[in-house]
Amino acid sequence: MDARLLDPADRSWPDAIVDIGVRLHAGKNPTLFPQHFLQVVLPRLGGHIFWFTEAGKELGIGFLLPRGYESSSIGDRPLLTQPAYTLRCHAVDDETGHSLATLAQAAVQAVQPFVPDAHIHFYNPAGQHTYQPTSQEIGNISIGRPNAEEAAQIPLLNQRIWGSPPELLYPADIHSIEFQLGSSLVARVDGELAAFLFGFYKFGGPKLPADWSERFGGSLRLESQTLGVLPDFRGMRIANLLKKVQAEEAWQKGIGVINWTADPLQFPNAALNFGLLRAISFHFYSDLYPFRNNLNRVPASRFGLTWLVGSERVQNVAITGARAPILDLPQHPEIERVNHNFETLHLEAKGEHIAIEIPEDWTSIQQNNVAEAQLWRETTDRLFSHYVGTEPGQYVITGVATDRDQRFLLGQRVDDALLAHLGHINE
């Protein structure tokens, strides 16, 4: 068996992902990852995609995903730590009659030269899987890993929350012990499934400032991918509980950095991410995702969030009872406003703090006035591209504010003192 590595830097990459979807019956194959995940997220995790062939005939496709680090021994040598991957394989229809499940060892051997120092675990998404449910009681809410029945319900919750079509759903089997997802949690309220959160291991990621990579173990991180809460259970702060448990588990595994992406124009998400969780953002990606839906009717630009889960700033927030600090902007005239909705903006701010106005209700604007949504996106994309970063003169997004019915994101000017404060570990 031969393996051909697909290159995400190639201009044909988006078309290759579409072709994979066609070949593996996207929308009708519940074991296939969403195309936006394969196109955008998988390469950012440090993952890869391979075509498998034998004697010129296509056998299938393998998705190689980071699994973390493992200890192993070679003969009489002492234990060594090596990167590990999950090789998730899908057979394609052809006249050979081969099944990748019967060619597991050949598939691993074909991929091994591309990651010579890694341990590869073959994984058959159509095989038998086991689940190991857990439970942590917080009031009448239980947080923990899902059992098999709950894992099967997660795609259904996704549909109920966002109305997602089948091709945008993640496979239920990724929550199995065999797949070894980086993070897999559900929330149960009085025994009823109310919410879910999952994420993937990833090797490396966006560059961290100062000595954060060494301090927080930045070579292995967690990419928190999807969090959803059913409408009937909103207002109970379940999203916060899920994220805090995720942070605790990651820190116990030695992972100090959790990344995820978020639409910068969704103020409720910003209040959770920056205000309550104390995440920060110094990365901005214009039009990151290719999909369009009711929540993304204009280009899907995103902040890259960085959560230093071992930092004093994060760990000093209680798992329950804490409130998101939302600044009353009129009481802080020293904070420079860099725009007035989408009509005016200026790119000359040099103060210690800036405020970037975002919509009061971004979801409603997208649903009712696409032209206005496009103007908001264009204006804020320009502001974020200019101001957000860790270079001299740029700003890290660290908080939120309001001025009556106006909503703002707060940025702090980058300097050594700020980076030391954000990255301080409580000894």
Side-chain angles (χ1 to χ4, degrees):
M1 181 187 293
D2 297 313
R4 176 170 62 88
L5 175 66
L6 302 186
D7 183 2
D10 194 288
R11 291 196 300 178
S12 65
W13 174 258
D15 293 334
I17 300 302
V18 171
D19 180 57
I20 288 172
V22 172
R23 298 296 300 276
L24 296 182
H25 313 293
K28 298 179 181 179
N29 182 352
T31 67
L32 182 61
F33 279 119
Q35 291 199 330
H36 70 274
F37 172 84
L38 297 176
Q39 180 175 333
V40 177
V41 181
L42 182 62
R44 295 162 68 91
L45 300 178
H48 306 284
I49 301 178
F50 298 90
W51 266 106
F52 294 113
T53 60
E54 187 175 67
K57 298 184 182 297
E58 294 178 342
L59 297 181
I61 300 169
F63 304 119
L64 194 68
L65 296 100
R67 191 181 177 95
Y69 288 96
E70 296 178 346
S71 295
S72 63
S73 59
I74 304 174
D76 295 330
R77 294 185 190 178
L79 290 175
L80 302 173
T81 300
Q82 62 180 164
Y85 292 86
T86 297
L87 180 60
R88 182 184 180 94
C89 290
H90 296 258
V92 297
D93 300 329
D94 76 329
E95 65 274 17
T96 65
H98 283 317
S99 166
L100 286 179
T102 65
L103 298 173
Q105 189 59 40
V108 169
Q109 290 177 350
V111 168
Q112 193 72 67
F114 295 92
V115 284
D117 298 325
H119 183 199
I120 300 175
H121 297 258
F122 179 84
Y123 181 86
N124 179 9
Q128 295 294 317
H129 306 122
T130 56
Y131 297 83
Q132 193 175 64
T134 60
S135 177
Q136 178 179 341
E137 305 299 326
I138 306 172
N140 67 331
I141 300 172
S142 169
I143 306 289
R145 290 185 59 91
N147 59 32
E149 180 180 352
E150 291 170 333
Q153 290 184 55
I154 290 175
L156 303 179
L157 262 64
N158 192 307
Q159 288 185 309
R160 290 173 61 186
I161 294 168
W162 296 292
S164 302
E167 61 270 19
L168 292 185
L169 301 179
Y170 286 82
D173 68 272
I174 63 175
H175 303 279
S176 68
I177 297 301
E178 290 80 6
F179 185 76
Q180 197 162 311
L181 199 59
S183 177
S184 174
L185 296 168
V186 294
R188 316 166 183 99
V189 178
D190 296 326
E192 183 179 353
L193 199 62
F196 66 92
L197 169 65
F198 63 86
F200 297 84
Y201 290 115
K202 74 174 184 178
F203 292 131
K207 183 180 178 181
L208 298 173
D211 60 349
W212 289 2
S213 185
E214 180 179 352
R215 189 180 304 174
F216 295 99
S219 61
L220 177 64
R221 308 184 195 180
L222 190 65
E223 183 75 17
S224 188
Q225 189 62 28
T226 306
L227 188 160
V229 182
L230 287 173
D232 290 347
F233 299 97
R234 291 173 187 166
M236 301 175 66
R237 309 183 78 184
I238 291 175
N240 176 55
L241 292 178
L242 283 167
K243 292 296 294 184
K244 293 295 285 185
V245 172
Q246 182 187 57
E248 287 181 351
E249 291 186 349
W251 190 238
Q252 289 170 4
K253 296 176 184 176
I255 296 175
V257 181
I258 298 179
N259 296 129
W260 67 93
T261 59
D263 190 329
L265 303 189
Q266 288 285 7
F267 185 78
N269 289 350
L272 170 66
N273 293 333
F274 300 117
L276 195 54
L277 299 178
R278 308 291 202 270
I280 58 178
S281 178
F282 44 85
H283 290 98
F284 171 70
Y285 308 105
S286 178
D287 197 11
L288 177 64
Y289 291 113
F291 56 69
R292 297 291 182 266
N293 53 34
N294 286 338
L295 293 178
N296 298 276
R297 300 188 67 188
V298 296
S301 300
R302 294 291 186 266
F303 274 154
L305 277 294
T306 297
W307 201 19
L308 303 176
V309 297
S311 68
E312 181 180 39
R313 185 171 178 270
V314 171
Q315 293 211 340
N316 282 356
V317 180
I319 192 169
T320 60
R323 294 189 176 277
I326 299 178
L327 210 67
D328 183 14
L329 198 55
Q331 296 186 23
H332 295 271
E334 75 280 5
I335 299 178
E336 189 171 359
R337 305 188 190 200
V338 298
N339 65 309
H340 175 65
N341 60 54
F342 55 82
E343 295 174 339
T344 60
L345 73 160
H346 72 93
L347 305 175
E348 309 299 328
K350 299 184 184 301
E352 294 300 313
H353 299 84
I354 61 170
I356 303 173
E357 185 178 356
I358 63 175
E360 180 184 11
D361 189 342
W362 177 231
T363 297
S364 177
I365 291 176
Q366 288 194 91
Q367 291 175 346
N368 299 316
N369 193 333
V370 175
E372 181 180 341
Q374 183 66 37
L375 291 172
W376 268 110
R377 186 65 93 194
E378 290 174 357
T379 297
T380 53
D381 273 13
R382 188 177 176 192
L383 287 166
F384 297 140
S385 296
H386 176 74
Y387 281 115
V388 175
T390 56
E391 296 299 317
Q394 291 187 303
Y395 293 79
V396 177
I397 304 298
T398 58
V400 293
T402 60
D403 180 355
R404 289 172 290 187
D405 61 349
Q406 293 176 282
R407 303 291 182 264
F408 298 86
L409 300 174
L410 300 177
Q412 293 183 249
R413 191 176 181 89
V414 176
D415 59 26
D416 291 342
L418 174 65
L419 297 180
H421 168 68
L422 296 176
H424 184 259
I425 293 179
N426 194 3
E427 302 295 344

